[in-house]
Amino acid sequence: MAIERTFSIVKPDATKRNLTGAICAMLEAGGLRIVAQKRIQLTLAQAQAFYAVHAERPFYDELCEFMVSEPIVVQVLEGENAILRNREIMGATNPADADAGTIRKEHALSLGENSIHGSDAPETAAEEIAYFFSGLELVG
Ligand code: CMP
């Protein structure tokens, strides 16, 4: 398997509880390298555009409001099979279903406030990285 890149967000519930470092340590211990990272405050329009794929879902407004409630940390993660590996390290979307030792099992508060986002496929990883990072921020 070739080296791959994926996109990750440390979400507001985690930055608010000062868990950015703890979550980064779990990503690194799981074999991923943080090759780009920044802490930002999304506008509502930016959150709505990022989650546009969920625009028709009943939780969309709640999700977007949550994502602007505190700063977030956006990241590019690199490693072997990074998209799948990151999803293993994160655990299931709902922390109630997540395996022990995963980020969501250890830190998430609920299905909505689930501490971390990760891309689900190569196409979305490329789109999500490009949404938040310019080429100049992505060191080879
Ligand atoms: P994420 O990986 O960021 O992608 C979309 C997010 O929507 C997901 O994580 C959850 O945090 C959130 N989500 C999914 N289902 C629900 C739901 N039923 N209610 C509230 N939030 C949800």
Side-chain angles (χ1 to χ4, degrees), residues 11 51 54 59 62-63 93 104 111-114 116-118:
K11 291 189 178 184
Y51 279 118
H54 295 304
F59 57 84
E62 182 187 331
L63 171 63
T93 305
R104 285 169 170 158
L111 174 57
E113 298 191 43
N114 64 352
I116 188 160
H117 164 84

Side-chain angles (χ1 to χ4, degrees), residues 22-104:
I23 288 173
C24 290
M26 291 175 81
L27 295 169
E28 291 178 340
L32 296 175
R33 183 176 297 275
I34 301 165
V35 297
Q37 176 169 257
K38 57 189 172 185
R39 187 173 187 269
I40 60 172
Q41 174 76 56
L42 282 182
T43 65
L44 187 58
Q46 289 167 337
Q48 288 168 334
F50 179 73
Y51 279 118
V53 66
H54 295 304
E56 303 306 318
R57 309 284 285 274
F59 57 84
Y60 179 66
D61 289 345
E62 182 187 331
L63 171 63
C64 294
E65 279 163 27
F66 165 62
M67 291 301 290
V68 305
S69 65
E70 294 281 336
I72 60 173
V73 176
V74 292
Q75 305 171 314
V76 180
L77 308 177
E78 185 176 273
E80 282 213 1
N81 214 3
I83 295 168
L84 186 61
R85 183 74 195 111
N86 185 39
R87 294 180 73 78
E88 290 170 351
I89 298 166
M90 291 193 301
T93 305
N94 188 338
D97 301 327
D99 290 336
T102 61
I103 290 170
R104 285 169 170 158

